[in-house]
Coordinates of all heavy atoms in Angstrom, one line a residue:
M24 N 13.5 26.7 10.2 CA 12.2 26.3 10.8 C 12.5 25.4 12.0 O 13.3 24.4 11.9 CB 11.4 25.5 9.7 CG 10.2 24.9 10.3 SD 9.2 23.9 9.1 CE 8.7 25.1 7.9
P25 N 11.9 25.7 13.1 CA 12.1 24.8 14.3 C 11.7 23.4 14.0 O 10.7 23.2 13.3 CB 11.3 25.5 15.4 CG 11.0 26.9 14.9 CD 11.0 26.8 13.4
L26 N 12.4 22.5 14.6 CA 12.1 21.1 14.4 C 10.7 20.7 14.8 O 10.0 19.9 14.1 CB 13.1 20.2 15.1 CG 13.0 18.7 14.9 CD1 13.2 18.4 13.5 CD2 14.0 18.0 15.8
K27 N 10.1 21.3 15.8 CA 8.8 20.9 16.3 C 7.7 21.3 15.3 O 6.6 20.8 15.3 CB 8.5 21.5 17.6 CG 8.4 23.0 17.7 CD 8.2 23.5 19.0 CE 8.2 25.1 19.0 NZ 7.9 25.6 20.4
L28 N 8.0 22.2 14.3 CA 7.0 22.6 13.3 C 7.0 21.8 12.1 O 6.1 22.0 11.2 CB 7.2 24.1 13.0 CG 7.0 25.1 14.1 CD1 7.2 26.5 13.6 CD2 5.6 25.0 14.7
I29 N 8.0 20.9 11.9 CA 8.0 20.1 10.8 C 7.0 19.0 10.8 O 6.9 18.3 11.8 CB 9.5 19.5 10.6 CG1 10.5 20.6 10.4 CG2 9.5 18.5 9.4 CD1 11.9 20.2 10.3
L30 N 6.3 18.8 9.8 CA 5.3 17.7 9.7 C 5.9 16.5 9.1 O 6.5 16.5 8.0 CB 4.1 18.2 8.8 CG 3.0 17.2 8.6 CD1 2.3 16.8 9.9 CD2 1.9 17.8 7.6
F31 N 5.9 15.4 9.8 CA 6.4 14.1 9.4 C 5.3 13.3 8.7 O 4.3 13.1 9.4 CB 7.1 13.4 10.5 CG 8.3 14.1 11.0 CD1 8.2 14.9 12.1 CD2 9.5 13.9 10.4 CE1 9.4 15.6 12.6 CE2 10.7 14.6 10.9 CZ 10.6 15.4 12.0
L32 N 5.6 12.8 7.5 CA 4.6 12.0 6.8 C 5.1 10.7 6.5 O 6.3 10.5 6.4 CB 4.2 12.7 5.5 CG 3.6 14.2 5.6 CD1 3.5 14.8 4.2 CD2 2.3 14.2 6.3
K33 N 4.2 9.7 6.4 CA 4.7 8.3 6.1 C 4.9 8.2 4.6 O 5.6 7.3 4.2 CB 3.6 7.3 6.6 CG 2.3 7.3 5.8 CD 1.4 6.2 6.3 CE 0.1 6.3 5.5 NZ -0.8 5.2 5.8
Q34 N 4.3 9.0 3.7 CA 4.3 8.8 2.3 C 5.7 8.7 1.7 O 6.0 7.8 0.9 CB 3.5 9.9 1.6 CG 2.0 9.7 1.7 CD 1.4 10.5 2.9 OE1 2.1 10.8 3.8 NE2 0.1 10.7 2.9
P35 N 6.6 9.6 2.1 CA 8.0 9.5 1.5 C 8.7 8.2 1.9 O 9.4 7.6 1.1 CB 8.7 10.7 2.1 CG 7.6 11.7 2.4 CD 6.5 10.9 2.9
D36 N 8.5 7.7 3.1 CA 9.1 6.5 3.5 C 8.5 5.3 2.7 O 9.3 4.4 2.3 CB 8.9 6.2 5.0 CG 9.6 7.2 5.9 OD1 10.7 7.8 5.4 OD2 9.3 7.4 7.0
V37 N 7.2 5.3 2.5 CA 6.6 4.2 1.8 C 7.1 4.2 0.3 O 7.4 3.2 -0.2 CB 5.1 4.2 1.9 CG1 4.4 3.2 1.0 CG2 4.7 4.0 3.4
Y38 N 7.0 5.4 -0.3 CA 7.5 5.5 -1.7 C 9.0 5.1 -1.8 O 9.3 4.3 -2.7 CB 7.4 7.0 -2.1 CG 7.8 7.2 -3.6 CD1 6.8 7.1 -4.6 CD2 9.1 7.5 -3.9 CE1 7.1 7.3 -5.9 CE2 9.4 7.6 -5.2 CZ 8.5 7.5 -6.2 OH 8.8 7.7 -7.5
S39 N 9.8 5.5 -0.9 CA 11.2 5.2 -0.9 C 11.4 3.7 -0.8 O 12.3 3.1 -1.4 CB 12.0 5.9 0.2 OG 11.9 7.3 0.0
F40 N 10.7 3.0 0.1 CA 10.8 1.6 0.3 C 10.4 0.9 -1.0 O 11.0 -0.1 -1.4 CB 9.9 1.1 1.5 CG 10.2 -0.3 1.8 CD1 11.4 -0.7 2.3 CD2 9.2 -1.3 1.6 CE1 11.6 -2.1 2.7 CE2 9.4 -2.6 1.9 CZ 10.6 -3.0 2.5
G41 N 9.4 1.4 -1.7 CA 9.0 0.8 -3.0 C 10.2 0.9 -4.0 O 10.4 0.0 -4.8
I42 N 10.9 2.0 -4.0 CA 12.0 2.2 -4.9 C 13.1 1.2 -4.5 O 13.8 0.6 -5.3 CB 12.5 3.7 -4.8 CG1 11.5 4.6 -5.3 CG2 13.8 3.8 -5.6 CD1 11.1 4.4 -6.8
I43 N 13.4 1.0 -3.2 CA 14.4 0.1 -2.7 C 14.1 -1.3 -3.1 O 14.9 -2.1 -3.6 CB 14.6 0.2 -1.2 CG1 15.2 1.5 -0.8 CG2 15.4 -1.0 -0.6 CD1 15.2 1.8 0.7
L44 N 12.8 -1.7 -3.0 CA 12.4 -3.0 -3.5 C 12.7 -3.2 -5.0 O 13.2 -4.2 -5.5 CB 10.9 -3.3 -3.3 CG 10.5 -3.5 -1.8 CD1 8.9 -3.6 -1.7 CD2 11.2 -4.6 -1.2
W45 N 12.4 -2.1 -5.8 CA 12.7 -2.1 -7.2 C 14.2 -2.3 -7.5 O 14.6 -3.1 -8.3 CB 12.2 -0.8 -7.9 CG 12.4 -0.8 -9.3 CD1 11.5 -1.2 -10.3 CD2 13.5 -0.2 -10.0 NE1 12.0 -1.0 -11.5 CE2 13.3 -0.4 -11.4 CE3 14.7 0.4 -9.6 CZ2 14.2 0.1 -12.4 CZ3 15.6 0.8 -10.6 CH2 15.3 0.6 -11.9
E46 N 15.0 -1.6 -6.7 CA 16.5 -1.7 -6.9 C 16.9 -3.1 -6.6 O 17.8 -3.6 -7.3 CB 17.2 -0.7 -5.9 CG 17.1 0.7 -6.4 CD 17.8 1.6 -5.4 OE1 17.2 2.0 -4.3 OE2 18.9 2.0 -5.7
I47 N 16.4 -3.7 -5.5 CA 16.8 -5.1 -5.2 C 16.4 -6.0 -6.3 O 17.1 -6.9 -6.7 CB 16.2 -5.5 -3.8 CG1 16.8 -4.7 -2.7 CG2 16.3 -7.0 -3.6 CD1 16.1 -4.8 -1.4
L48 N 15.2 -5.9 -6.8 CA 14.7 -6.7 -7.9 C 15.4 -6.6 -9.2 O 15.8 -7.6 -9.8 CB 13.2 -6.4 -8.1 CG 12.5 -7.1 -9.3 CD1 12.3 -8.6 -9.0 CD2 11.2 -6.4 -9.7
T49 N 15.7 -5.4 -9.6 CA 16.3 -5.1 -10.9 C 17.8 -5.0 -10.9 O 18.5 -5.2 -11.9 CB 15.7 -3.9 -11.5 OG1 16.1 -2.7 -10.7 CG2 14.2 -3.9 -11.7
Q50 N 18.4 -4.7 -9.7 CA 19.8 -4.5 -9.6 C 20.2 -3.3 -10.5 O 21.3 -3.3 -11.1 CB 20.7 -5.7 -9.9 CG 20.4 -6.9 -9.0 CD 20.9 -6.6 -7.6 OE1 22.1 -6.4 -7.4 NE2 20.0 -6.6 -6.6
E51 N 19.4 -2.3 -10.7 CA 19.6 -1.1 -11.5 C 19.5 0.1 -10.7 O 19.0 0.1 -9.6 CB 18.6 -1.1 -12.7 CG 18.8 -2.2 -13.6 CD 17.8 -2.1 -14.8 OE1 17.2 -1.0 -15.0 OE2 17.5 -3.1 -15.4
T52 N 20.0 1.3 -11.2 CA 19.9 2.6 -10.6 C 18.5 3.2 -11.0 O 18.2 3.3 -12.2 CB 21.0 3.5 -11.1 OG1 22.2 2.9 -10.7 CG2 20.9 4.8 -10.4
P53 N 17.7 3.6 -10.0 CA 16.4 4.2 -10.3 C 16.6 5.5 -11.0 O 17.5 6.3 -10.7 CB 15.7 4.3 -9.0 CG 16.8 4.3 -8.0 CD 17.9 3.5 -8.6
F54 N 15.7 5.8 -11.9 CA 15.7 7.1 -12.6 C 17.0 7.4 -13.3 O 17.4 8.6 -13.5 CB 15.3 8.2 -11.7 CG 14.0 8.0 -10.9 CD1 14.0 7.7 -9.6 CD2 12.8 8.1 -11.6 CE1 12.8 7.5 -8.9 CE2 11.6 7.9 -10.9 CZ 11.6 7.6 -9.6
K55 N 17.7 6.4 -13.8 CA 18.9 6.5 -14.5 C 18.8 7.4 -15.7 O 17.8 7.2 -16.5 CB 19.5 5.2 -14.9 CG 20.9 5.2 -15.3 CD 21.5 3.8 -15.5 CE 22.9 3.8 -15.9 NZ 23.5 2.5 -15.9
G56 N 19.7 8.3 -15.9 CA 19.6 9.2 -17.1 C 18.7 10.4 -16.9 O 18.6 11.2 -17.8
M57 N 18.0 10.5 -15.8 CA 17.1 11.7 -15.6 C 17.8 12.7 -14.8 O 18.7 12.4 -13.9 CB 15.8 11.2 -14.9 CG 15.0 10.3 -15.7 SD 13.5 9.6 -14.8 CE 12.5 11.1 -14.7
H58 N 17.5 14.0 -15.0 CA 18.0 15.1 -14.2 C 17.2 15.2 -12.9 O 16.1 14.7 -12.9 CB 18.0 16.4 -15.0 CG 18.9 16.3 -16.2 ND1 20.2 16.4 -16.2 CD2 18.6 16.2 -17.5 CE1 20.8 16.3 -17.4 NE2 19.7 16.2 -18.2
N59 N 17.7 15.9 -12.0 CA 17.1 16.0 -10.7 C 15.6 16.6 -10.8 O 14.7 16.1 -10.1 CB 17.9 16.9 -9.7 CG 19.2 16.3 -9.3 OD1 19.3 15.1 -9.4 ND2 20.1 17.1 -8.8
F60 N 15.4 17.6 -11.6 CA 14.1 18.2 -11.8 C 13.1 17.2 -12.4 O 12.0 17.1 -12.0 CB 14.2 19.5 -12.6 CG 12.8 20.1 -12.7 CD1 12.3 20.8 -11.7 CD2 12.0 20.0 -13.9 CE1 11.0 21.4 -11.7 CE2 10.8 20.6 -14.0 CZ 10.3 21.3 -12.9
Q61 N 13.6 16.4 -13.3 CA 12.8 15.3 -13.9 C 12.4 14.3 -12.9 O 11.2 13.8 -12.8 CB 13.5 14.7 -15.1 CG 13.7 15.6 -16.3 CD 14.6 14.9 -17.3 OE1 15.7 14.4 -16.9 NE2 14.2 14.9 -18.5
I62 N 13.3 13.9 -12.0 CA 13.0 12.9 -10.9 C 12.0 13.5 -10.0 O 11.1 12.9 -9.6 CB 14.3 12.5 -10.2 CG1 15.3 11.8 -11.2 CG2 14.0 11.7 -9.0 CD1 16.7 11.6 -10.6
L63 N 12.2 14.8 -9.6 CA 11.3 15.4 -8.6 C 9.9 15.5 -9.2 O 8.9 15.2 -8.5 CB 11.8 16.8 -8.3 CG 10.9 17.7 -7.4 CD1 10.9 17.0 -6.0 CD2 11.5 19.1 -7.3
S64 N 9.8 15.8 -10.5 CA 8.5 15.8 -11.1 C 7.8 14.5 -11.2 O 6.6 14.3 -10.9 CB 8.6 16.4 -12.6 OG 7.4 16.4 -13.2
A65 N 8.6 13.4 -11.5 CA 8.1 12.1 -11.6 C 7.6 11.6 -10.2 O 6.5 11.0 -10.1 CB 9.2 11.1 -12.1
V66 N 8.4 11.9 -9.2 CA 8.0 11.5 -7.8 C 6.7 12.2 -7.4 O 5.8 11.6 -6.8 CB 9.2 11.7 -6.8 CG1 8.7 11.6 -5.4 CG2 10.3 10.8 -7.2
A67 N 6.7 13.5 -7.7 CA 5.5 14.3 -7.3 C 4.2 13.8 -7.9 O 3.1 13.9 -7.4 CB 5.7 15.8 -7.6
K68 N 4.4 13.2 -9.1 CA 3.2 12.7 -9.9 C 2.9 11.3 -9.5 O 2.0 10.7 -10.0 CB 3.5 12.8 -11.4 CG 3.5 14.2 -11.9 CD 3.9 14.2 -13.4 CE 4.1 15.6 -13.9 NZ 4.6 15.5 -15.3
G69 N 3.7 10.7 -8.6 CA 3.5 9.3 -8.2 C 4.0 8.3 -9.3 O 3.5 7.1 -9.2
Q70 N 4.8 8.7 -10.2 CA 5.3 7.8 -11.2 C 6.3 6.9 -10.6 O 7.2 7.3 -10.0 CB 5.9 8.6 -12.4 CG 4.9 9.4 -13.2 CD 5.6 10.2 -14.2 OE1 6.8 10.3 -14.3 NE2 4.8 10.8 -15.1
G71 N 6.1 5.6 -10.9 CA 7.0 4.6 -10.4 C 8.0 4.3 -11.5 O 8.3 5.1 -12.4
L72 N 8.6 3.1 -11.4 CA 9.6 2.7 -12.3 C 9.0 1.5 -13.1 O 8.1 0.8 -12.6 CB 10.9 2.3 -11.5 CG 11.5 3.5 -10.8 CD1 12.5 3.0 -9.7 CD2 12.2 4.4 -11.8
P73 N 9.6 1.2 -14.2 CA 9.1 0.0 -15.0 C 9.4 -1.3 -14.3 O 10.6 -1.6 -13.9 CB 9.9 0.1 -16.3 CG 11.1 1.0 -16.0 CD 10.7 1.9 -14.9
V74 N 8.4 -2.1 -14.0 CA 8.5 -3.3 -13.4 C 8.7 -4.4 -14.4 O 7.9 -4.5 -15.3 CB 7.3 -3.6 -12.4 CG1 7.5 -5.0 -11.8 CG2 7.2 -2.5 -11.4
P75 N 9.8 -5.2 -14.3 CA 10.0 -6.3 -15.3 C 8.8 -7.3 -15.3 O 8.2 -7.6 -14.3 CB 11.2 -7.0 -14.9 CG 11.9 -6.0 -13.9 CD 10.8 -5.2 -13.3
D76 N 8.5 -7.8 -16.5 CA 7.4 -8.8 -16.6 C 7.7 -10.0 -15.8 O 6.8 -10.8 -15.4 CB 7.2 -9.2 -18.1 CG 6.7 -8.0 -18.9 OD1 6.0 -7.1 -18.3 OD2 6.9 -8.0 -20.2
S77 N 9.0 -10.3 -15.6 CA 9.4 -11.5 -14.8 C 9.1 -11.4 -13.3 O 9.3 -12.3 -12.6 CB 10.9 -11.8 -15.1 OG 11.7 -10.7 -14.6
C78 N 8.8 -10.2 -12.9 CA 8.5 -9.9 -11.5 C 7.3 -10.6 -11.0 O 6.3 -10.7 -11.7 CB 8.4 -8.4 -11.3 SG 8.0 -7.9 -9.6
D79 N 7.4 -11.2 -9.8 CA 6.2 -11.9 -9.2 C 5.1 -10.9 -9.1 O 5.3 -9.7 -8.7 CB 6.7 -12.4 -7.8 CG 5.5 -13.1 -7.1 OD1 4.6 -12.4 -6.6 OD2 5.6 -14.3 -7.0
P80 N 3.9 -11.2 -9.5 CA 2.8 -10.3 -9.5 C 2.5 -9.6 -8.1 O 2.1 -8.5 -8.0 CB 1.6 -11.1 -9.9 CG 2.1 -12.3 -10.6 CD 3.5 -12.5 -10.0
S81 N 2.8 -10.4 -7.0 CA 2.5 -9.8 -5.7 C 3.6 -8.7 -5.4 O 3.2 -7.7 -4.8 CB 2.6 -10.9 -4.6 OG 3.8 -11.5 -4.5
Y82 N 4.8 -8.9 -5.8 CA 5.8 -7.8 -5.6 C 5.5 -6.6 -6.5 O 5.6 -5.5 -6.1 CB 7.2 -8.3 -6.0 CG 7.8 -9.3 -5.1 CD1 8.4 -10.5 -5.6 CD2 7.9 -9.1 -3.7 CE1 8.9 -11.4 -4.7 CE2 8.4 -10.0 -2.9 CZ 9.0 -11.1 -3.3 OH 9.5 -12.0 -2.5
S83 N 5.1 -6.9 -7.7 CA 4.7 -5.8 -8.7 C 3.6 -5.0 -8.1 O 3.7 -3.7 -8.1 CB 4.3 -6.4 -10.0 OG 3.9 -5.4 -10.9
A84 N 2.6 -5.6 -7.6 CA 1.4 -4.9 -7.0 C 1.8 -4.1 -5.8 O 1.4 -3.0 -5.6 CB 0.3 -5.9 -6.7
L85 N 2.7 -4.7 -5.0 CA 3.1 -4.0 -3.7 C 3.9 -2.8 -4.1 O 3.6 -1.7 -3.6 CB 4.0 -5.0 -2.9 CG 4.6 -4.4 -1.6 CD1 3.5 -3.9 -0.7 CD2 5.6 -5.4 -1.0
M86 N 4.9 -2.9 -5.0 CA 5.7 -1.7 -5.4 C 4.8 -0.6 -6.0 O 4.9 0.5 -5.6 CB 6.8 -2.1 -6.4 CG 7.9 -2.9 -5.8 SD 9.3 -3.2 -6.9 CE 8.5 -4.4 -8.0
K87 N 3.9 -1.0 -6.9 CA 3.0 0.0 -7.5 C 2.1 0.7 -6.5 O 1.8 1.9 -6.6 CB 2.2 -0.7 -8.7 CG 3.1 -1.1 -9.9 CD 2.3 -1.8 -10.9 CE 3.2 -2.2 -12.1 NZ 2.5 -3.0 -13.1
S88 N 1.7 -0.1 -5.5 CA 0.8 0.5 -4.5 C 1.6 1.5 -3.7 O 1.1 2.5 -3.1 CB 0.2 -0.5 -3.6 OG 1.1 -1.1 -2.8
M89 N 2.9 1.3 -3.5 CA 3.8 2.2 -2.7 C 4.1 3.5 -3.5 O 4.5 4.5 -2.9 CB 5.0 1.5 -2.3 CG 4.8 0.4 -1.4 SD 6.4 -0.4 -1.0 CE 6.0 -1.2 0.6
W90 N 3.8 3.5 -4.8 CA 4.2 4.7 -5.6 C 3.0 5.6 -5.9 O 3.0 6.5 -6.6 CB 4.8 4.3 -6.9 CG 6.1 3.5 -6.7 CD1 7.0 3.7 -5.7 CD2 6.7 2.5 -7.6 NE1 8.1 2.8 -5.9 CE2 7.9 2.1 -7.0 CE3 6.3 2.0 -8.8 CZ2 8.7 1.2 -7.6 CZ3 7.1 1.0 -9.4 CH2 8.3 0.6 -8.8
T91 N 1.8 5.3 -5.2 CA 0.6 6.1 -5.4 C 0.8 7.5 -4.7 O 1.5 7.6 -3.7 CB -0.6 5.4 -5.0 OG1 -1.8 6.2 -5.2 CG2 -0.6 5.1 -3.5
V92 N 0.1 8.5 -5.2 CA 0.1 9.8 -4.5 C -1.2 9.9 -3.7 O -1.3 10.9 -3.0 CB 0.2 10.9 -5.6 CG1 1.5 11.0 -6.2 CG2 -0.9 10.9 -6.6
D93 N -2.1 9.0 -3.8 CA -3.3 9.0 -3.0 C -3.1 8.4 -1.6 O -3.0 7.2 -1.5 CB -4.4 8.3 -3.7 CG -5.8 8.4 -3.0 OD1 -5.8 9.0 -1.9 OD2 -6.8 7.9 -3.6
P94 N -3.0 9.2 -0.6 CA -2.7 8.7 0.8 C -3.8 7.8 1.3 O -3.5 7.0 2.2 CB -2.6 10.0 1.7 CG -3.3 11.0 0.9 CD -3.3 10.7 -0.5
K95 N -5.0 7.8 0.7 CA -6.0 6.9 1.2 C -5.8 5.4 0.8 O -6.3 4.5 1.5 CB -7.4 7.3 0.6 CG -7.8 8.7 1.1 CD -9.1 9.1 0.5 CE -9.4 10.6 0.8 NZ -10.3 11.2 -0.1
V96 N -5.0 5.2 -0.3 CA -4.8 3.8 -0.7 C -3.3 3.4 -0.5 O -2.9 2.3 -0.8 CB -5.2 3.6 -2.2 CG1 -6.6 3.8 -2.4 CG2 -4.4 4.6 -3.1
L97 N -2.5 4.3 0.1 CA -1.1 4.0 0.3 C -1.0 3.0 1.4 O -1.6 3.1 2.5 CB -0.4 5.3 0.8 CG 1.1 5.3 0.8 CD1 1.7 5.2 -0.6 CD2 1.6 6.6 1.5
P98 N -0.2 1.9 1.2 CA -0.1 0.9 2.2 C 0.7 1.5 3.4 O 1.5 2.4 3.3 CB 0.7 -0.2 1.5 CG 1.4 0.4 0.4 CD 0.6 1.6 0.0
A99 N 0.5 0.9 4.5 CA 1.2 1.3 5.8 C 2.2 0.3 6.2 O 2.0 -0.9 5.8 CB 0.2 1.5 6.9
F100 N 3.2 0.7 6.9 CA 4.1 -0.3 7.5 C 3.5 -0.8 8.8 O 3.5 -0.1 9.8 CB 5.5 0.4 7.8 CG 6.3 0.7 6.6 CD1 6.6 2.1 6.3 CD2 6.7 -0.2 5.7 CE1 7.3 2.4 5.2 CE2 7.4 0.1 4.6 CZ 7.7 1.4 4.3
C101 N 2.9 -1.9 8.7 CA 2.1 -2.4 9.8 C 2.3 -3.9 9.8 O 2.0 -4.6 8.9 CB 0.6 -2.1 9.6 SG -0.5 -2.9 10.8
F102 N 2.7 -4.4 11.0 CA 2.8 -5.9 11.1 C 1.9 -6.3 12.3 O 2.3 -6.3 13.4 CB 4.3 -6.2 11.4 CG 5.2 -5.9 10.3 CD1 5.9 -4.7 10.3 CD2 5.4 -6.8 9.3 CE1 6.8 -4.5 9.2 CE2 6.2 -6.5 8.2 CZ 6.9 -5.4 8.2
S103 N 0.7 -6.6 11.9 CA -0.3 -7.0 12.9 C -0.2 -8.5 13.0 O 0.5 -9.2 12.3 CB -1.7 -6.6 12.5 OG -2.1 -7.3 11.4
K104 N -1.0 -9.1 14.0 CA -1.0 -10.5 14.1 C -1.5 -11.2 12.8 O -1.0 -12.2 12.4 CB -2.0 -10.8 15.3 CG -2.0 -12.2 15.8 CD -0.7 -12.4 16.5 CE -0.8 -13.7 17.4 NZ 0.5 -14.1 17.9
K105 N -2.5 -10.5 12.2 CA -3.0 -11.0 10.9 C -1.9 -11.1 9.8 O -1.8 -12.0 9.1 CB -4.1 -10.1 10.4 CG -4.8 -10.6 9.1 CD -5.9 -9.7 8.7 CE -6.5 -10.1 7.4 NZ -7.6 -9.2 7.0
N106 N -1.1 -10.0 9.8 CA 0.0 -10.0 8.8 C 1.1 -11.0 9.0 O 1.8 -11.4 8.1 CB 0.6 -8.6 8.7 CG -0.2 -7.6 8.0 OD1 -1.1 -7.9 7.3 ND2 0.0 -6.3 8.3
Q107 N 1.2 -11.4 10.3 CA 2.3 -12.4 10.6 C 1.9 -13.8 10.0 O 2.8 -14.6 9.9 CB 2.5 -12.5 12.1 CG 3.1 -11.3 12.7 CD 3.2 -11.3 14.2 OE1 2.7 -12.2 14.8 NE2 3.8 -10.3 14.8
Q108 N 0.6 -14.0 9.8 CA 0.2 -15.3 9.2 C 0.6 -15.4 7.8 O 0.8 -16.5 7.3 CB -1.3 -15.4 9.4 CG -1.7 -15.5 10.8 CD -3.2 -15.5 11.0 OE1 -4.0 -15.4 10.0 NE2 -3.7 -15.6 12.2
R109 N 0.8 -14.3 7.1 CA 1.2 -14.3 5.7 C 2.3 -13.3 5.5 O 2.2 -12.2 5.9 CB 0.1 -13.9 4.7 CG 0.5 -14.0 3.3 CD -0.7 -13.7 2.4 NE -0.3 -13.8 1.0 CZ 0.2 -12.7 0.3 NH1 0.3 -11.5 0.9 NH2 0.6 -12.8 -0.9
N110 N 3.4 -13.8 5.1 CA 4.6 -12.9 5.0 C 4.4 -12.0 3.7 O 4.6 -12.4 2.6 CB 5.9 -13.8 4.8 CG 7.1 -12.9 4.9 OD1 7.1 -11.7 4.6 ND2 8.2 -13.6 5.2
W111 N 3.9 -10.8 3.9 CA 3.5 -9.9 2.8 C 4.7 -9.5 2.0 O 4.6 -9.2 0.8 CB 2.7 -8.7 3.3 CG 3.4 -7.8 4.1 CD1 3.6 -7.8 5.4 CD2 4.2 -6.6 3.6 NE1 4.4 -6.7 5.8 CE2 4.7 -6.0 4.8 CE3 4.4 -6.1 2.4 CZ2 5.5 -4.9 4.7 CZ3 5.2 -4.9 2.3 CH2 5.7 -4.3 3.4
L112 N 5.8 -9.4 2.6 CA 7.0 -8.9 1.8 C 7.6 -10.0 1.0 O 8.1 -9.8 -0.1 CB 8.0 -8.3 2.8 CG 9.3 -7.7 2.2 CD1 8.9 -6.6 1.2 CD2 10.1 -7.1 3.3
F113 N 7.7 -11.2 1.5 CA 8.3 -12.3 0.8 C 7.3 -13.4 0.8 O 7.4 -14.4 1.6 CB 9.6 -12.8 1.5 CG 10.6 -11.7 1.5 CD1 10.9 -11.0 2.7 CD2 11.3 -11.3 0.4 CE1 11.9 -10.0 2.7 CE2 12.2 -10.3 0.4 CZ 12.6 -9.7 1.5
P114 N 6.2 -13.3 0.0 CA 5.1 -14.2 0.1 C 5.4 -15.7 -0.3 O 4.7 -16.6 0.1 CB 4.1 -13.7 -0.9 CG 4.9 -12.8 -1.9 CD 6.1 -12.3 -1.0
N115 N 6.5 -15.9 -1.0 CA 6.8 -17.3 -1.4 C 7.9 -17.9 -0.5 O 8.3 -19.1 -0.8 CB 7.2 -17.4 -2.9 CG 6.1 -16.9 -3.8 OD1 4.9 -17.2 -3.5 ND2 6.4 -16.2 -4.8
S116 N 8.3 -17.2 0.5 CA 9.4 -17.8 1.3 C 8.9 -18.7 2.4 O 7.7 -18.6 2.8 CB 10.2 -16.7 2.0 OG 9.4 -16.0 2.9
A117 N 9.7 -19.7 2.7 CA 9.3 -20.6 3.8 C 9.5 -20.0 5.1 O 10.3 -19.2 5.3 CB 10.1 -21.9 3.7
R118 N 8.6 -20.4 6.1 CA 8.8 -19.8 7.4 C 9.4 -20.7 8.3 O 9.3 -21.9 8.3 CB 7.4 -19.4 8.0 CG 6.7 -18.3 7.2 CD 5.6 -17.7 7.9 NE 6.2 -16.4 8.2 CZ 5.7 -15.6 9.1 NH1 4.8 -15.9 9.9 NH2 6.2 -14.4 9.2

């Protein structure tokens, strides 16, 4: 398929970033013990990973929102002037 016909979507990037946040938080391998087809099925259904109870609620909500399959509610990678006033990725860090 010619490169110009490929449709680029933001959803895989947002989902993947949510998985990376989970990996940083848990220091574990995502989907450990699952076969490739099982992982593909879980991702297609928007299934995320188990978030530890010790996780800050804002991180938990952010990761879970990144694992949705509904593009209407999927968060965007956007750093506007408004977002600069509150560090959405690290809400408890000092500026």
Side-chain angles (χ1 to χ4, degrees):
M24 173 182 296
L26 185 59
K27 65 181 178 180
L28 297 180
I29 296 174
L30 179 60
F31 292 95
L32 302 172
K33 70 176 180 176
Q34 287 90 342
D36 290 338
V37 172
Y38 183 91
S39 297
F40 188 67
I42 297 297
I43 290 169
L44 290 177
W45 181 88
E46 287 179 279
I47 292 168
L48 173 73
T49 64
Q50 297 293 298
E51 295 181 18
T52 302
F54 304 108
K55 191 173 185 174
M57 294 175 70
H58 297 288
N59 290 343
F60 184 75
Q61 292 171 311
I62 296 170
L63 179 62
S64 177
V66 170
K68 293 176 185 173
Q70 293 176 349
L72 298 162
V74 179
D76 292 336
S77 61
C78 179
D79 181 285
S81 62
Y82 289 130
S83 178
L85 177 63
M86 286 186 289
K87 290 175 182 177
S88 71
M89 292 179 161
W90 298 332
T91 183
V92 292
D93 185 354
K95 295 175 189 160
V96 296
L97 192 67
F100 290 119
C101 169
F102 295 96
S103 67
K104 194 73 164 169
K105 181 179 178 182
N106 287 340
Q107 289 174 0
Q108 294 172 358
R109 181 174 180 271
N110 189 338
W111 68 271
L112 182 56
F113 300 105
N115 297 324
S116 66
R118 292 199 113 199

